[in-house]
Amino acid sequence: MLRVLHSEHEFSDRFISYMLARNIRVEEDLIDQLFNSSEKRLARTLLLLARFARRGSLKRCFLKYRKRCWRR
């Protein structure tokens, strides 16, 4: 992975952008859990799902969630 990151500049740029965006999303989720009421957290989750729906990946998201529910 290190070799590819050093040799493929376009890939490394995309990878770092992805990792930064993911890190920001995780931080936002943690802040959301700490400071917002359950109603606000639900509203935020629904807005995030609506964004997934626009990209056409909502079905995948629900399947993943359903699988997690069955594992418990």
Side-chain angles (χ1 to χ4, degrees):
M1 184 68 175
L2 285 174
R3 184 183 55 79
V4 172
L5 287 172
H6 284 289
S7 63
E8 301 290 332
H9 297 292
E10 185 178 339
F11 174 77
S12 65
D13 290 344
R14 284 181 178 228
F15 181 75
I16 290 172
S17 295
Y18 168 78
M19 292 303 293
L20 288 172
R22 185 177 182 274
N23 196 23
I24 290 169
R25 194 170 57 243
V26 168
E27 287 177 359
E28 288 173 349
D29 289 343
L30 288 172
I31 290 169
D32 188 48
Q33 287 291 320
L34 287 171
F35 296 111
N36 289 332
S37 66
S38 59
E39 290 87 4
K40 285 184 180 179
R41 290 195 313 261
L42 175 63
R44 182 174 181 272
T45 302
L46 291 173
L47 287 171
L48 288 171
L49 286 173
R51 266 192 240 150
F52 277 117
R54 274 189 256 138
R55 285 193 250 162
S57 60
L58 185 61
K59 186 176 181 181
R60 244 188 354 210
C61 182
F62 280 126
L63 289 174
K64 188 172 164 184
Y65 176 74
R66 203 176 331 155
K67 286 179 185 176
R68 251 193 290 170
C69 289
W70 283 105
R71 287 183 191 161
R72 291 182 186 180

